[in-house]
Amino acid sequence: MATVTDVRTQERVSTGATVWSWITTIDHKRIGVLYFVTSLIYFLIGGLEALLIRLQLATPDGQILDPDTYNQLFTMHGTAMVFMVAMPMAAAFFNFLIPLMIGARDVAFPRLNAFSYWTFLGGSLLMHSSFLFGQAPDGGWFGYANLTSKEYSPGLSIDFWGLGLLVLGVASVAAALNFIITIINLRAPGMSFMRMPVFVWMTFVTSFLIIFAFPAITAALIFLEFDRLFGTNFYEVAEGGDPMLWQHLFWVFGHPEVYILVLPGFGIASEILPTFSRKPIFGYSAMVFAAVSIGFLGFSVWAHHMFTTGMGTIADAAFAGSTMLIAIPTGIKMFNWVATCFGGRIRLTVPMLFALGFLTTFLIGGLTGPMLAAVPLDLHFQDGYFVVGHFHYVLFGGLILALMGGVYYWFPKITGRMMDEKIGKIHFWTMFLGMNFTFFPMHFVGLDGMPRRVSTYPAGMGWEFWNMFITISAFFIGLSVLVFLHNLVVSYIKGKPAGNDPWDARTLEWAIPSPPPEHNFDEIPQITHRDQVWYDKYGDGHGDAAQLSKASAAVAEHADESDEEHEVHMPDPSYWPLLVGAGLTIAAAGLMIHILVAIFGVAWTIVAVYAWSLEPASTPPDDEH
């Protein structure tokens, strides 16, 4: 294990704010920032694609985009928002916060963590490079067979998509393994599983979902690329293949993926709501078991995406029932969040507004979920705009609003500066109103029969007003993003100093300086209570007379008694994770260019992995030379 937690004298390696230090960094906080900035760039690209799609649909017989370009934009919008925005932005929070929340100095495998980021970047760049060659993917983010076969997609567009996703999958699985091992092994003394913050639990469950869901999409993509590159027939009906195999494998991954996306949002809201309600989370145990239940049930509902494929009555009934069942743990969470706020001393800060916005919009998205689980209704809604409205409420409301709340909540810890509250409230209201005005009317046009994935529609269908309204509202969301970017930059440059704990918060990251030192904690904390920082400040009464916990007092006494100067061993920076990720990307790209390029990429990867394995974790102290 690369993290060395023993404490002894050593001069720290200065990383400095240089480009090279960012390239070679293995500090979990810096990698979290890299994930955030990269996913924010893709958020802007995906948002621009969405605005172009909406311009095309604003009026009947739209002429702004030709059908091929429209197909490329809605494919890349969906793919980017899922794999290059939602997942990596959640990973940004995981990276920055998990070691801090559990009282660790880093993740279990810091260099594997860096490898995950660089591989994610390589896969995303590989897919987006398709625009440079006029070969952008155009088969939808679901990539249904046989649209993806050579017969219907003869160029390289599907290969950019499939190979890019395979590289991204390697990054996701490596990161998930790292977080599972970190949470199991590196929790501070006294932090039992049932004392972990809810956000850590959500990360834990999400990581397991990734581990178990990604093999299905990996197998599906390998079969697809074998069909396309080597002439096999996994999905070719005429040769004995079955395109339904793709749908089963894709949705075995695809529905747990929904929970991979929203569980981090659940975790962020579960940290914000108690802090600004001045109450511990209501029903902590129920929240944890509900999350675990969602994780299990998430693997039993995949075929509710396939009711129109003719699976049969028994299969339809079984998957409709399991889908209805998952509303129970989700409802438990919703009631617990409301109960957490009920009777609390609520402070309507910007993070709190976003958390409350998350509650309301996710509730609307959740209520339309059981409607789609009802087979007769789903047969009508399938491939219509009702579904588009539903999943945007779930993903935008359940994740993007929560992520925005998380940015405002933890920005002071990350940068040491506060974000501007006035601008933040303008951002919240423009985004909240914009998303509701954009996505709610989609249910209307969906009920009226407007299909999805079509580049235009004829006049006289009765959809003109709502489509124009939706398009104008979508630009309102775009305006809110510009307000957010302005606030982000201005606050980073001249925001007022935050101090260690500007929110009077509960979890361990607020007990250390803002921004945290590279080694996080001078002393590994001792945990005696769930909301340890509140307990240390206020005892059991949360707001009553302040008192120091016995455990914290013991730590302080131990620190005072220890006259020896000591520092912390941390692993050294390394460029090998970058080179291994680059090698994998070259190997994937080589499959589209020439087999020799692919062999070169594999050889590069093997050499880089070998060199990585020989690199010492950290430079020995001078007296050990």
Side-chain angles (χ1 to χ4, degrees):
M1 191 175 299
T3 300
V4 185
T5 54
D6 57 315
V7 180
R8 52 182 167 167
T9 302
Q10 184 194 3
E11 191 67 32
R12 297 303 315 281
V13 176
S14 173
T15 50
T18 62
V19 173
W20 183 247
S21 74
W22 282 93
I23 290 174
T24 59
T25 186
I26 56 172
D27 180 347
H28 69 97
K29 298 180 290 297
R30 281 188 157 202
I31 292 172
V33 172
L34 288 172
Y35 266 114
F36 177 77
V37 172
T38 308
S39 58
L40 186 59
I41 293 170
Y42 284 124
F43 181 61
L44 298 177
I45 295 172
L48 182 61
E49 291 165 348
L51 292 180
L52 290 172
I53 291 170
R54 285 314 316 171
L55 280 175
Q56 169 70 10
L57 296 175
T59 57
D61 302 312
Q63 300 294 322
I64 294 174
L65 303 174
D66 61 72
D68 288 339
T69 304
Y70 181 89
N71 288 344
Q72 292 173 355
L73 289 181
F74 91 76
T75 298
M76 288 302 290
H77 166 74
T79 304
M81 287 298 188
V82 170
F83 295 100
M84 301 168 212
V85 177
M87 289 186 69
M89 196 168 284
F93 284 91
F94 296 169
N95 268 281
F96 198 94
L97 294 171
I98 292 301
L100 299 178
M101 282 186 163
I102 64 174
R105 293 205 164 93
D106 207 319
V107 295
F109 304 108
R111 289 178 184 170
L112 185 65
N113 200 25
F115 162 77
S116 299
Y117 169 74
W118 293 114
T119 305
F120 151 71
L121 183 65
S124 61
L125 290 176
L126 174 63
M127 196 181 299
H128 274 84
S129 67
S130 60
F131 282 109
L132 301 177
F133 303 99
Q135 298 278 346
D138 55 1
W141 84 279
F142 39 84
Y144 282 156
N146 52 7
L147 291 176
T148 52
S149 66
K150 276 285 188 184
E151 180 180 1
Y152 297 104
S153 297
L156 292 175
S157 61
I158 297 301
D159 299 306
F160 274 109
W161 182 78
L163 294 168
L165 284 182
L166 281 170
V167 176
L168 289 170
V170 172
S172 297
V173 171
L177 285 169
N178 209 350
F179 284 114
I180 290 171
I181 295 168
T182 299
I183 292 169
I184 291 176
N185 288 300
L186 298 188
R187 284 170 290 124
M191 180 174 280
S192 64
F193 277 103
M194 296 309 284
R195 286 177 179 165
M196 294 196 310
V198 174
F199 180 78
V200 179
W201 264 109
M202 296 304 117
T203 305
F204 196 51
V205 176
T206 300
S207 299
F208 273 106
L209 284 173
I210 290 173
I211 294 298
F212 290 114
F214 266 74
I217 187 68
T218 302
L221 289 167
I222 290 174
F223 292 162
L224 173 64
E225 288 305 323
F226 265 71
D227 276 6
R228 291 182 58 82
L229 298 174
F230 306 117
T232 57
N233 299 293
F234 288 102
Y235 305 122
E236 181 56 52
V237 176
E239 302 295 334
D242 186 356
M244 289 292 290
L245 174 63
W246 169 269
Q247 288 209 35
H248 281 289
L249 288 173
F250 182 82
W251 289 117
V252 165
F253 152 80
H255 203 81
E257 172 70 9
V258 173
Y259 302 107
I260 289 170
L261 298 178
V262 300
L263 284 177
F266 290 2
I268 290 171
S270 300
E271 299 305 322
I272 294 174
L273 292 170
T275 297
F276 295 108
S277 299
R278 303 298 303 155
K279 289 173 60 184
I281 190 79
F282 181 88
Y284 172 90
S285 299
M287 292 288 281
V288 169
F289 287 115
V292 176
S293 301
I294 289 172
F296 278 108
L297 291 172
F299 284 98
S300 66
V301 300
W302 80 88
H304 75 220
H305 296 274
M306 302 166 58
F307 286 151
T308 55
T309 61
M311 293 186 299
T313 306
I314 294 176
D316 285 354
F319 284 103
S322 62
T323 304
M324 297 282 187
L325 199 62
I326 209 166
I328 296 174
T330 309
I332 289 172
K333 285 184 166 295
M334 190 63 68
F335 282 117
N336 282 8
W337 286 321
V338 173
T340 300
C341 298
F342 184 76
R345 287 174 286 165
I346 293 176
R347 290 179 289 163
L348 288 178
T349 59
V350 176
M352 187 63 168
L353 286 174
F354 273 104
L356 294 174
F358 151 81
L359 279 186
T360 54
T361 52
F362 185 73
L363 177 62
I364 296 172
L367 289 175
T368 52
M371 296 170 69
L372 292 168
V375 178
L377 289 176
D378 186 81
L379 294 178
H380 176 66
F381 295 145
Q382 182 75 17
D383 284 336
Y385 250 78
F386 188 93
V387 179
V388 181
H390 161 71
F391 71 69
H392 276 92
Y393 258 93
V394 171
L395 296 184
F396 200 104
L399 182 62
I400 299 298
L401 289 186
L403 288 172
M404 288 297 168
V407 171
Y408 280 91
Y409 184 59
W410 281 293
F411 185 87
K413 180 55 58 182
I414 296 169
T415 66
R417 295 183 180 276
M418 301 295 292
M419 291 191 78
D420 189 285
E421 280 282 299
K422 289 183 180 177
I423 302 175
K425 288 180 179 176
I426 295 172
H427 169 212
F428 168 74
W429 285 112
T430 51
M431 178 168 278
F432 182 73
L433 294 175
M435 73 141 287
N436 279 284
F437 290 157
T438 300
F439 302 128
F440 202 82
M442 289 182 178
H443 297 91
F444 301 156
V445 292
L447 286 171
D448 201 31
M450 180 171 172
R452 59 195 288 206
R453 305 165 188 155
V454 292
S455 62
T456 188
Y457 53 93
M461 300 297 291
W463 305 330
E464 292 87 345
F465 171 78
W466 283 120
N467 272 303
M468 179 58 75
F469 185 85
I470 291 168
T471 298
I472 295 171
S473 302
F475 276 85
F476 214 56
I477 298 178
L479 174 65
S480 75
V481 174
L482 293 179
V483 174
F484 169 65
L485 292 175
H486 170 72
N487 198 5
L488 202 65
V489 174
V490 169
S491 300
Y492 180 75
I493 295 172
K494 56 181 181 181
K496 65 179 182 181
N500 293 355
D501 185 14
W503 307 122
D504 193 12
R506 310 149 34 243
T507 41
L508 290 177
E509 73 272 22
W510 302 104
I512 59 176
S514 304
E518 186 179 351
H519 60 284
N520 295 346
F521 299 92
D522 293 337
E523 299 282 346
I524 297 298
Q526 300 283 326
I527 307 303
T528 59
H529 290 76
R530 189 172 295 150
D531 295 325
Q532 185 68 44
V533 175
W534 264 0
Y535 185 80
D536 289 345
K537 289 185 288 189
Y538 303 119
D540 280 332
H542 303 309
D544 298 335
Q547 65 181 58
L548 196 63
S549 71
K550 292 180 180 179
S552 294
V555 172
E557 183 180 356
H558 174 74
D560 291 340
E561 289 174 353
S562 178
D563 295 330
E564 294 182 5
E565 183 183 358
H566 57 264
E567 293 204 15
V568 181
H569 271 291
M570 297 292 286
D572 292 343
S574 175
Y575 49 78
W576 291 114
L578 164 63
L579 294 181
V580 176
L584 281 177
T585 307
I586 292 170
L591 290 173
M592 293 184 287
I593 302 170
H594 194 281
I595 190 63
L596 291 179
V597 179
I599 293 172
F600 172 73
V602 172
W604 175 321
T605 304
I606 293 172
V607 171
V609 168
Y610 180 71
W612 177 355
S613 68
L614 296 180
E615 188 177 42
S618 59
T619 305
D622 292 339
D623 59 2
E624 295 181 12
H625 283 298

